[in-house]
Amino acid sequence: LRRFTFSIKFEAMPQKMLHSIAESKIRPLNISDETKGKILDMLDKYKLTGASAENIAKVISGMNTQDEENLLTKKRFSVKFRL
């Protein structure tokens, strides 16, 4: 048997599709629509993946969301972005 290596190039997912995935992960959270909008804007700004959106939703669901004003600035909620 002979071995050979090949590669497949995957194109980046369209921004609209990423936004749709993020929205589906964020929508069920028990936070206001305004806060959800801010989170989605952040995801769009940094072009995160669907998996990143799911991780963010998990972190937020485990947090105390009663104080939404500080929700996105809490130290526990940190996401490292690669620009």
Side-chain angles (χ1 to χ4, degrees):
L1 291 173
R2 297 199 176 218
R3 296 181 193 180
F4 59 94
T5 303
F6 64 95
S7 61
I8 300 172
K9 182 178 179 181
F10 291 96
E11 299 296 327
M13 192 178 298
Q15 189 65 27
K16 188 174 181 178
M17 187 177 286
L18 284 172
H19 185 85
S20 177
I21 291 170
E23 190 174 24
S24 72
K25 302 296 181 187
I26 302 298
R27 189 180 313 122
L29 297 176
N30 189 25
I31 54 179
S32 71
D33 290 339
E34 181 183 350
T35 302
K36 289 176 187 176
K38 288 179 183 178
I39 293 168
L40 290 171
D41 289 345
M42 179 183 67
L43 293 173
D44 288 342
K45 179 180 177 182
Y46 294 105
K47 296 181 175 90
L48 300 179
T49 64
S52 296
E54 185 172 8
N55 288 337
I56 289 169
K58 285 179 185 178
V59 169
I60 291 173
S61 67
M63 295 173 66
N64 179 5
T65 57
Q66 306 232 342
D67 185 13
E68 288 188 26
E69 210 172 288
N70 295 319
L71 179 65
L72 297 177
T73 58
K74 285 189 176 184
K75 291 182 181 177
R76 287 177 44 202
F77 183 73
S78 64
V79 178
K80 294 182 180 178
F81 301 106
R82 295 180 72 185
L83 300 176

